[in-house]
């Protein structure tokens, strides 16, 4: 952080403290043992030790603590207890239990890692404590996470730049007032090992620390795939005065992995011609997506043991909370996050595999002749993301004319930097039959299939290229260099108004963002030139009304919009594109809470449109507008996507010790004015129409099996996921198969040497199904895990 930024931050904090000292304030009662040290208006979370899947309030609706039942928005919260019960190590594990959310790529994936779809829209901008993460693929681990909040629908009022489907917000763990240490050790299939240590220690009655350490290591059901993750997290909270609290958090994650290919591109030869071997598949042939095992074994991994990825993630944040009076309070916050990612990976040309039987005795696939070798190349990809955020929220709470009014004035400044430098090895050339290998000494050896021609090479035999790609001197082909900086400022004003009898609640807010971009880009640093990039100007609003005719029922309607940046490019006249990509949604919903909160149901129907995305103009369109064809691509912002659907979630505790959580969504997505007009209104690849989950857990309360627990999860995704769509007919030519995944678990709580100990055993994908979780992501085969946890 620069001296100017540090000085500015200190001045803001000093000014806030001086103002706090000059104003009277109501002294709050000391928090009960086990509570977090925080002002209730700026904190959420269940009491320590409370085993509940139900969250009554959220920070993701207004940046302050507001009861979910009073918000005219669709919000789902996965509490720490629920995350522990489903055995979620990271957000990818939790995604299957989020309503209207599907995973498109795992954390351990080459492409589309940590990518989700929310309400049918792509979402890879994740948030930590309400602040956008610096990099879409930042490693995360639930060891430091208290809860995950999903705010569905456009959400720029809260977070600025966000995809229109919604926002996934991870809330960090906070120190509590009770001294407690927990240790958890887990073992599982494919050499899986994980240990977590979570220490909460009050230093004084006003100051507490919380430290978390985690280590995870394991292989995979696929050959040549493994990962190691080290997590260190430290948080501190101090009640400086009865009405002033300072919080600080820091986390580092070091990740090392040998990443398997998400899914290889498949080409099927049609003749023995040397040119037709590289032809794209015909309609109905296999492209991306499910490929029969007669063509390609499910666990086939051509990337080998040296497809290396290392990543270090850093997160540092702090906030000052002060209550001036019962009417006025303030929070000032700052955060910094950074991702350093280094890849040595086989490149895109290497991820296309000629379809063939991996049988040494056969040299063809279903009557088609295939080559003995295919070309091979590698990419050295170094990338760094930094993001700084400074924000202040001034909260006022008023009562007048029989109304209760909470108003939040927000200010935010975000600065981010992205640096990326990529080089390739020369391509080994020669995919066609009989083509000669490259004479470039830096080219990798071509991939050899296990055919009789190559001496019956085993399917998992070591390929020479897998060792050659670790030689950094081979990376002599420039790919790209990017150095981009973004500075964005925002001001927001949010209002939550309700009647004194709590029958009516209204949410109305608006946010204005202004951002400036600058970038250098080229094939190398030496050849990089400054790019013309647009300014960002966007106004985002949310308005909603909720009516509660009875205490147990709320119905609401809302409209919201968001923006996700201005696409680069020029229009037909050579001017920069100026419109921010935006989303707008209308939704109607209902929320219920019966049986003293033991039965909660929430449902919503929605219509969502994404607009102002870029479409490249055809030559005919350009000539029609200008009368001639200039050099360079010209674009227009009339592309878009649309989705509509219904979603629901239920939390039910019918009897003591038994809890049920279920979710369901039906979402129909389509393209609007795509680059290929034949596909207008057609499906978006990888998006299911319906998906959902069912999870239940029962803990025996009496008898010989007292304190034994049993759980079961069922996760389903339908098969209406287009994999490839014809450019001539607009019809789906391949679909990704749907699936149902079934998990089981059991646990037991007891005491060992006077200490409470919990044992758990789980089996995931009990039926050992071969599952396509996302567009390019295969699900794990059957796996077993055992864990033991103790607290003291």
């Amino acid at each position: 952080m620069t001296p100017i930024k540090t000085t500015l931050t200190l001045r803001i904090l000093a000014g806030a403290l001086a103002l706090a000292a000059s104003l009277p304030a109501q002294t709050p009662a000391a928090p009960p043992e086990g509570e977090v040290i925080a002002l209730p208006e700026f904190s959420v979370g269940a009491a320590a030790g409370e085993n509940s899947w139900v969250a009554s309030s959220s920070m993701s609706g207004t940046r302050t603590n507001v009861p979910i039942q009073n918000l005219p928005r669709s919000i789902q919260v996965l509490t720490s207890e629920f995350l522990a019960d489903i055995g979620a190590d990271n957000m990818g594990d939790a995604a299957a239990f989020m309503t209207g959310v599907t995973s498109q790529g795992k954390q351990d994936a080459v492409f589309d890692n940590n990518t989700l779809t929310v309400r049918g829209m792509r979402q890879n901008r994740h948030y930590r404590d309400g602040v956008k993460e610096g990099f879409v693929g930042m490693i995360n681990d639930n060891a430091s996470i208290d809860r995950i909040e999903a705010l569905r629908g456009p959400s720029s009022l809260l977070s600025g730049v966000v995809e229109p489907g919604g926002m996934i917000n991870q809330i960090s763990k906070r120190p509590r007032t009770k001294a407690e240490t927990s240790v958890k050790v887990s073992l599982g299939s494919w050499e899986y090992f994980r240990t977590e240590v979570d220490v909460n220690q009050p230093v004084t009655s006003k100051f507490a620390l919380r430290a978390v350490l985690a280590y995870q290591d394991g292989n995979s059901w696929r050959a040549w795939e493994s990962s190691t993750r080290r997590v260190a997290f430290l948080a501190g909270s101090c009640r400086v005065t009865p009405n002033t609290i300072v919080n600080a958090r820091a986390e580092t994650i070091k990740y090392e992995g040998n990443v398997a290919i998400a899914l290889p591109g498949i080409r099927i030869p049609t003749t023995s011609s040397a040119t037709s071997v590289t032809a794209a598949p015909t309609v109905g042939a296999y492209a991306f997506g499910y490929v029969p095992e007669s063509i390609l074994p499910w666990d086939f991994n051509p990337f080998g043991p040296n497809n290396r990825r290392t990543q270090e993630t850093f997160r540092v944040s702090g906030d000052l909370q002060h209550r001036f009076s019962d009417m006025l309070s303030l929070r000032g916050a700052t955060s910094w996050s950074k991702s350093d990612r280094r890849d040595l990976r086989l490149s895109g040309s290497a991820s296309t595999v000629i379809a063939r039987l991996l049988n040494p005795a056969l040299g063809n696939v279903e009557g088609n002749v295939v080559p003995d070798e295919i070309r091979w190349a590698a990419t050295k990809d170094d990338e760094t993301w930094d993001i700084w955020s400074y924000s202040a929220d001034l909260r006022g709470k008023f009562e007048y004319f029989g109304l209760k009014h909470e108003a939040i004035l927000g200010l935010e400044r975000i600065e981010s930097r992205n640096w990326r430098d990529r080089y390739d090895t020369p391509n080994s050339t020669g995919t066609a039959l009989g083509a000669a290998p490259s004479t470039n000494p830096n080219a990798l050896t071509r991939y050899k299939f296990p055919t009789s021609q190559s001496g019956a090479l085993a399917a998992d035999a070591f390929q020479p290229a897998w060792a050659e790609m670790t030689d950094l001197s081979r990376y002599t082909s420039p790919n790209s260099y990017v150095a981009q900086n973004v500075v964005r400022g925002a001001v927001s004003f949010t209002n939550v108004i309700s009647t004194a009898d709590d029958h009516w609640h209204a949410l109305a807010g608006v946010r204005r963002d202004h951002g400036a971009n600058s970038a250098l880009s080229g094939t190398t640093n030496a050849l990089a030139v400054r790019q013309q990039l647009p300014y960002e100007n966007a106004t985002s609003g949310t308005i909603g009304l909720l009516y509660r005719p009875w205490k147990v029922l709320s119905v609401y309607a809302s409209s919201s919009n968001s923006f996700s940046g201005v696409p680069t490019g020029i229009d037909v006249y050579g001017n920069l594109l100026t419109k921010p990509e935006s989303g707008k949604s209308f939704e109607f919903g209902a929320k219920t809470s019966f049986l003293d909160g033991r039965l909660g149901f929430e449902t919503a129907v929605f219509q969502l449109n994404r607009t102002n995305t870029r479409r490249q103009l055809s030559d005919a369109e350009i000539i029609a507008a200008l009368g001639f064809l200039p050099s360079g691509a010209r674009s227009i912002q009339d592309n878009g996507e649309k989705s509509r659907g219904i979603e629901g979630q239920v939390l039910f505790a019918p009897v003591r010790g038994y809890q049920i959580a279920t979710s369901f969504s039906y979402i129909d997505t389509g393209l609007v004015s795509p680059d290929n007009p034949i596909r207008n209104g057609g499906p978006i690849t990888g998006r299911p129409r319906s998906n959902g989950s069912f999870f239940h857990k029962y803990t025996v309360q009496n008898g010989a099996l007292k304190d034994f627990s049993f759980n079961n999860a069922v996760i389903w995704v339908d098969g209406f996921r287009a994999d490839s769509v014809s450019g001539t007919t607009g019809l789906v030519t391949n679909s990704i198969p749907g699936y149902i995944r079934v998990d089981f678990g059991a646990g037991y709580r007891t005491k060992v040497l006077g200490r409470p100990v919990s044992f758990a055993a789980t089996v995931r994908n009990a039926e050992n199904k071969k599952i396509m979780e996302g567009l390019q992501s295969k699900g794990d085969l059957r796996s077993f895990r055992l864990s033991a946890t103790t607290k003291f």
Side-chain angles (χ1 to χ4, degrees):
M1 188 178 295
T2 66
I4 294 176
K5 294 173 184 172
T6 303
T7 302
L8 178 61
T9 302
L10 291 175
R11 286 179 178 174
I12 292 173
L13 294 179
L17 286 172
L19 182 60
S22 66
L23 293 176
Q26 183 77 24
T27 301
E33 186 180 43
E35 291 294 323
V36 296
I37 300 177
L39 297 182
E41 52 263 53
F42 298 122
S43 174
V44 293
E50 181 183 348
N51 182 20
S52 174
W53 297 352
V54 179
S56 59
S57 58
S58 167
M59 292 286 290
S60 295
T62 63
R63 297 168 74 104
T64 60
N65 184 352
V66 175
I68 294 175
Q69 201 73 6
N70 294 345
L71 280 171
R73 293 293 304 273
S74 180
I75 297 178
Q76 182 183 20
V77 176
L78 304 187
T79 65
S80 56
E81 292 80 9
F82 184 76
L83 293 173
D85 284 340
I86 63 175
D89 291 341
N90 56 58
M91 191 166 60
D93 295 334
F97 298 91
M98 296 182 190
T99 305
V101 177
T102 56
S103 174
Q104 294 296 296
K106 293 183 176 182
Q107 184 165 252
D108 301 327
V110 179
F111 305 110
D112 277 336
N113 54 322
N114 283 340
T115 297
L116 310 171
T117 61
V118 184
R119 286 188 168 176
M121 301 291 179
R122 180 183 174 91
Q123 170 60 272
N124 58 5
R125 303 175 191 264
H126 304 308
Y127 290 76
R128 175 67 65 95
D129 299 318
V131 177
K132 185 172 77 72
E133 292 276 55
F135 174 55
V136 297
M138 285 187 76
I139 295 294
N140 62 76
D141 191 285
N142 285 345
S144 62
I145 298 301
D146 179 67
R147 53 162 58 186
I148 299 175
E149 299 184 352
L151 175 62
R152 292 184 286 271
S155 310
S156 284
L157 173 65
L158 175 77
S159 54
V161 175
V162 69
E163 300 294 347
M167 183 186 77
I168 309 296
N169 188 17
Q170 302 173 84
I171 307 296
S172 301
K173 289 181 175 178
R174 306 295 174 96
R176 297 181 179 273
T177 56
K178 179 182 179 181
E180 187 175 65
T181 297
S182 68
V183 178
K184 180 179 180 180
V185 178
S186 304
L187 302 172
S189 302
W190 312 303
E191 294 80 43
Y192 172 88
F193 172 77
R194 181 180 172 92
T195 182
E196 299 176 35
V197 180
D198 187 340
V199 181
N200 190 88
Q201 182 61 54
V203 180
T204 70
S205 61
K206 298 179 180 179
F207 177 47
L209 293 172
R210 188 168 187 176
V212 178
L213 296 174
Y215 173 82
Q216 181 176 313
D217 183 52
N219 294 319
S220 167
W221 50 274
R222 272 186 291 215
W224 321 118
E225 184 177 30
S226 63
S227 66
T228 300
R229 197 156 69 237
R230 299 174 178 87
V231 182
F233 173 81
L234 178 65
S237 294
C238 180
R239 187 179 291 274
V240 181
T241 73
N243 297 284
T244 305
I245 293 172
V246 175
N247 298 293
R249 296 169 294 278
E251 180 182 42
T252 177
I253 301 177
K254 185 173 183 179
Y255 170 88
E256 299 174 8
N258 194 71
V259 185
I261 187 172
L263 197 68
I266 303 300
R267 290 180 176 177
I268 299 180
T270 54
T271 70
S272 59
S273 165
T275 57
S276 64
V277 171
T278 60
T282 58
V283 174
Y286 306 107
F288 287 103
Y290 179 77
V291 179
E293 289 197 78
S294 61
I295 301 295
L296 201 66
W298 185 258
D299 59 356
F300 175 64
N301 178 16
F303 272 21
N306 293 319
N307 196 65
R308 304 296 298 169
R309 166 170 292 172
T310 61
Q311 183 175 346
E312 288 187 273
T313 295
F314 305 91
R315 298 179 177 98
V316 180
S317 62
D319 62 83
L320 169 70
Q321 305 173 11
H322 180 73
R323 177 186 290 138
F324 302 115
S325 65
D326 286 343
M327 185 175 65
L328 195 64
S329 54
L330 170 73
R331 178 182 56 198
T334 183
S335 69
W336 167 71
S337 63
K338 181 179 182 180
S339 169
D340 276 322
R341 191 175 77 171
R342 305 288 181 260
D343 277 3
L344 281 180
R345 65 172 186 262
L346 291 166
S347 64
S349 60
S351 64
T352 296
V353 178
I354 303 299
R356 63 173 306 117
L357 289 168
L358 295 181
N359 186 330
L362 298 175
N364 58 62
V365 175
E366 297 179 354
N368 298 306
V369 178
V370 298
D372 188 50
E373 300 177 346
I374 59 171
R375 63 184 178 216
W376 218 228
T379 295
K380 176 180 176 292
D381 191 356
D382 298 341
E383 185 168 24
T384 297
W385 278 86
D386 287 280
I387 187 166
W388 297 267
S389 173
Y390 314 90
S391 64
D393 293 297
L394 182 63
R395 173 185 178 269
K397 190 175 182 180
F398 315 98
E399 293 189 18
Y400 51 83
F401 305 128
L403 300 175
K404 295 182 289 186
H405 181 192
E406 180 178 334
I408 305 104
L409 176 63
L411 298 173
E412 187 172 21
R413 177 181 171 88
I414 298 173
E415 304 172 19
S416 66
R417 181 179 71 92
N418 170 222
W419 171 85
R420 189 173 193 178
D421 196 11
R422 300 176 65 185
Y423 274 81
D424 296 330
T425 63
N427 200 299
S428 57
T429 67
T431 302
L433 290 172
S438 172
T439 58
N440 192 312
N442 294 315
L444 303 185
T445 301
R446 295 190 297 182
Y447 185 90
K448 298 178 181 293
F449 283 103
T451 64
S452 56
Q453 295 97 314
S454 60
L457 188 66
D460 58 353
F462 190 91
Q463 299 280 345
W466 294 343
E468 295 169 353
M469 66 181 293
T470 62
D471 181 1
L472 299 185
S473 66
R474 290 179 176 268
Y475 294 86
T476 56
S477 301
N479 185 308
S480 65
Y481 175 87
V482 174
Q484 183 173 3
N485 294 277
V486 179
V487 178
R488 182 179 296 110
V491 58
S492 62
F493 187 53
T494 307
N495 299 272
V496 180
I497 303 172
S498 59
T499 56
D501 58 11
D502 271 342
H503 283 318
W504 291 93
H505 296 265
L507 170 65
V510 64
R511 173 172 168 138
R512 176 68 176 176
D513 284 84
H514 175 79
N517 295 269
S518 61
L520 295 173
S521 66
T523 55
T524 65
N525 185 8
L527 299 175
V529 296
R530 188 166 298 279
Q531 300 296 302
Q532 274 191 299
L533 295 175
Y535 285 96
E536 292 180 355
N537 290 284
T539 300
S540 309
T542 294
I543 186 169
L545 185 64
L546 180 144
Y547 176 56
R548 182 180 296 155
W550 305 284
K551 183 178 179 180
V552 297
L553 172 66
S554 303
V555 292
Y556 70 89
S558 69
S559 173
S560 59
N561 55 41
S562 65
F563 80 102
S564 52
V566 179
T568 58
I570 57 176
D571 65 15
V572 69
Y573 301 106
N575 301 314
L576 285 173
L577 301 179
T578 59
K579 299 176 183 177
E581 292 188 10
S582 60
K584 187 170 185 179
S585 174
F586 298 93
E587 71 174 78
F588 302 90
K591 305 177 183 183
T592 66
S593 179
F594 297 106
L595 305 175
D596 295 325
R598 290 187 292 112
L599 173 60
F601 173 75
E602 181 176 334
T603 186
V605 293
F606 64 89
Q607 170 80 42
L608 175 60
N609 296 291
R610 180 174 187 167
T611 58
N612 295 336
T613 57
R614 182 183 62 189
R615 176 177 67 86
Q616 185 170 322
L617 293 170
S618 66
D619 291 351
E621 289 176 299
I622 297 172
I623 294 172
L626 300 178
F628 64 97
L629 188 64
S631 62
R634 302 297 168 100
S635 302
I636 189 173
Q637 289 185 261
D638 64 353
N639 256 25
E641 298 175 349
K642 61 181 180 181
S643 70
R644 59 183 179 181
I646 181 171
E647 59 195 16
Q649 61 195 52
V650 177
L651 292 172
F652 186 30
V655 295
R656 186 182 177 189
Y658 187 39
Q659 296 186 94
I660 300 171
T662 186
S663 67
F664 171 80
S665 63
Y666 178 90
I667 302 170
D668 189 15
T669 63
L671 295 168
V672 177
S673 187
D675 294 348
N676 185 343
I678 296 297
R679 296 191 58 192
N680 190 42
I684 306 172
T685 56
R687 318 293 167 90
R689 287 188 185 175
S690 64
N691 71 291
S693 66
F694 177 80
F695 185 82
H696 60 139
K697 176 183 177 182
Y698 177 64
T699 302
V700 181
Q701 302 296 302
N702 301 291
L705 295 180
K706 185 177 183 296
D707 293 327
F708 275 93
S709 63
F710 307 91
N711 65 70
N712 165 234
V714 180
I715 299 160
W716 71 90
V717 175
D718 74 13
F720 291 94
R721 293 183 289 172
D723 170 38
S724 56
V725 181
S726 171
T728 56
T729 67
L731 300 177
V732 175
T733 55
N734 291 288
S735 293
I736 305 171
Y739 65 88
I740 297 176
R741 192 188 93 191
V742 179
D743 303 341
F744 292 100
Y748 178 59
R749 298 195 307 263
T750 186
K751 286 191 175 183
V752 177
L753 301 177
R755 300 289 184 188
V757 179
S758 299
F759 298 96
T762 61
V763 53
R764 293 186 178 184
N765 191 6
E767 298 175 280
N768 205 32
K769 288 186 175 181
K770 294 169 181 176
I771 292 169
M772 284 300 304
E773 286 185 335
L775 182 63
Q776 297 188 50
S777 181
K778 291 181 177 180
D780 291 338
L781 296 177
R782 182 192 296 126
S783 63
F784 300 90
R785 289 187 185 176
L786 298 171
S787 67
T789 305
T790 184
K791 294 184 178 182
F792 50 89

